[in-house]
Amino acid sequence: MAKYHGKIGYIIPTEERSGVWKDIPVEKEAYGDFLEDRSNIQTTDKISKNISLSGRLVVMIDKFAMTNFQHIRYATFMDTAWSVTSVRPAYPKLHLTLGEMYNGKRPDATKV
C-alpha cells in the first residue's frame, strides 16, 4: 500500500440561467492510500490501444466530497488523469476504482 496525494476531478452540472445547464469541471486535492497498482493494455482491433490502471484509491473526504461524490469522474496518479469507474462512500473515506486514461473536461488541461 502506497500513500496517495493527488487531485480528484468532479464534473458539476450547474444552471447558468433558467433551463440552461453547463458542466463545470472542478478539481480538489486529496490524500489517502493507493492499492493494487497494475497497468493493463487492452488488446483489441483498435488502432490505438487503451491503457488502463487496475487500482483503487482510498481517500479522506471533506464536506464537498461527501455531497458531490456522485460527480467524480477522474483522479490523478503519476501525472496522469485516470477515469474513476466506481465510487464507494464509507465515511470518512471514499473508495475509488480507477480504469482507463481520462480524456474528458478538466479545469485546465495543462495542470495535473
Side-chain angles (χ1 to χ4, degrees), residues 49-103:
K49 293 178 173 48
N50 293 333
I51 297 172
S52 65
L53 186 67
S54 190
R56 290 185 303 130
L57 293 176
V58 179
V59 295
M60 299 301 293
I61 58 174
D62 57 9
K63 185 177 179 180
F64 181 86
M66 190 62 193
T67 58
N68 291 288
F69 70 86
Q70 70 275 19
H71 300 297
I72 293 175
R73 297 295 177 264
Y74 65 90
T76 62
F77 178 70
M78 297 183 76
D79 295 331
T80 303
W82 299 93
S83 296
V84 172
T85 59
S86 70
V87 178
R88 183 171 60 89
Y91 189 81
K93 298 178 180 181
L94 284 177
H95 296 253
L96 309 175
T97 304
L98 304 179
E100 293 183 356
M101 291 174 65
Y102 177 79
N103 294 313

Side-chain angles (χ1 to χ4, degrees), residues 28-48:
K28 298 285 186 177
E29 298 261 338
Y31 298 88
D33 296 311
F34 185 78
L35 313 170
E36 299 177 24
D37 183 8
R38 285 183 291 213
S39 178
N40 300 315
I41 297 175
Q42 297 175 357
T43 54
T44 63
D45 292 335
K46 294 181 182 179
I47 292 172
S48 298

Side-chain angles (χ1 to χ4, degrees), residues 6-18:
K7 295 186 180 188
I8 305 296
Y10 300 80
I11 301 296
I12 308 292
T14 307
E15 191 169 20
E16 283 191 321
R17 56 185 186 272
S18 183

